[in-house]
Amino acid sequence: MPRHPKKPRRLVADGREYLWTLRHGHRVLDSGRSADCRETLTLYPQPAGTDGPLRIVFADGPGRYVPGGAPLGSGDVGFIRGADLNLHEPGAVRALLDVALARGWRPGERRAVELDGWTLLEEAAAARAGGAAAGDAGDAGGAGPAGP
């Protein structure tokens, strides 16, 4: 049975559990057309209610792509000439979390923290590519669906 796309997924990193979700959003123009696509990856440190979430936002812009429909796949974000990730892959989520932690984000803040995902992408993609080259796809270590 396929996983429900809106159900949070579980990720364990360095002994800490997180639930994570991925949402696509955009602004609707007066004409009814979509504009300003964005993917928001949100990680919720567990247990719930103890810490504020981390939101990693990838907003559409020059030289970047954010899935807004065909021909791009859901969750694909990247630079037109450069690094990319699929935000549905637990290994990609883990790589982004690791970069955010290395750059100073700490679970424990009571408020939500929002980061520009584009500033994390190249380092996370490089770490992900290095892990895959070493035979570690980065999807192990407790990554998977949340709950029963």
Side-chain angles (χ1 to χ4, degrees), residues 2-147:
R3 186 185 67 78
H4 190 282
K6 296 206 181 221
K7 185 175 181 179
R9 295 178 73 181
R10 180 176 170 258
L11 177 74
V12 176
D14 299 325
R16 176 123 198 192
E17 183 178 342
Y18 300 85
L19 294 180
W20 61 276
T21 60
L22 179 63
R23 299 289 185 263
H24 180 81
H26 48 79
R27 187 169 51 95
V28 178
L29 302 174
D30 291 337
S31 66
R33 295 190 63 177
S34 298
D36 303 328
C37 288
R38 61 193 291 138
E39 289 286 315
T40 303
L41 173 67
T42 306
L43 292 115
Y44 302 91
Q46 298 300 298
T50 58
D51 302 328
L54 171 63
R55 291 188 188 99
I56 301 174
V57 179
F58 292 89
D60 195 15
R64 313 171 184 170
Y65 62 88
V66 173
L72 300 175
S74 173
D76 291 333
V77 295
F79 294 108
I80 291 174
R81 290 192 171 94
D84 61 13
L85 288 172
N86 183 320
L87 302 178
H88 288 298
E89 296 177 357
V93 174
R94 171 66 191 262
L96 288 164
L97 173 62
D98 288 347
V99 174
L101 288 166
R103 293 193 183 176
W105 178 73
R106 293 289 173 255
E109 293 191 40
R110 302 292 285 173
R111 63 178 181 80
V113 173
E114 186 171 299
L115 299 177
D116 179 354
W118 300 110
T119 65
L120 311 175
L121 182 70
E122 288 183 300
E123 189 175 341
R128 180 100 165 103
D136 172 19
D139 293 343

